[in-house]
């Protein structure tokens, strides 16, 4: 199943994923926890801005915007293993 883990910025829109891990040199994991971004949480790409950065994600019923440079440090796997 490890081959299905990918950076958040590479997921397709509209499908549910589960946060597997978060790596951040600058803020650490606690910098992301305030947004509900913790391992085990479901996340979905909703839409991208016209410039493709930032991107809107749904997390715990809330819409948040993340820049791709932050999303590349968040690793996810499909909520449905068949994806």
């Amino acid at each position: 199943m490890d081959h299905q883990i990918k950076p958040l910025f590479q997921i397709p829109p509209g499908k549910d994923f589960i946060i597997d891990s978060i790596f951040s040199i600058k803020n650490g994991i606690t910098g992301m926890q305030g947004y509900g971004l913790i391992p085990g949480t479901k996340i979905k790409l909703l839409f991208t801005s016209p410039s493709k950065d930032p991107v809107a994600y749904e997390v715990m019923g809330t819409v948040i915007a993340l820049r791709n440079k932050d999303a590349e440090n968040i690793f996810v796997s499909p909520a449905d293993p068949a994806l």
Side-chain angles (χ1 to χ4, degrees), residues 12-71:
K15 299 197 185 299
D16 289 329
F17 284 79
I18 303 294
I19 296 174
D20 183 68
S21 57
I22 300 172
F23 298 100
S24 178
I25 296 169
K26 185 176 180 183
N27 295 326
I29 192 168
T30 56
M32 298 291 187
Q33 286 177 336
Y35 298 108
L37 299 172
I38 54 175
T41 302
K42 191 182 296 185
I43 190 166
K44 180 190 317 186
L45 188 154
L46 296 177
F47 56 89
T48 59
S49 66
S51 66
K52 307 284 191 246
D53 193 20
V55 177
Y57 297 93
E58 180 182 356
V59 180
M60 299 173 62
T62 301
V63 178
I64 64 168
L66 290 175
R67 296 225 174 262
N68 289 331
K69 68 179 182 175
D70 296 320

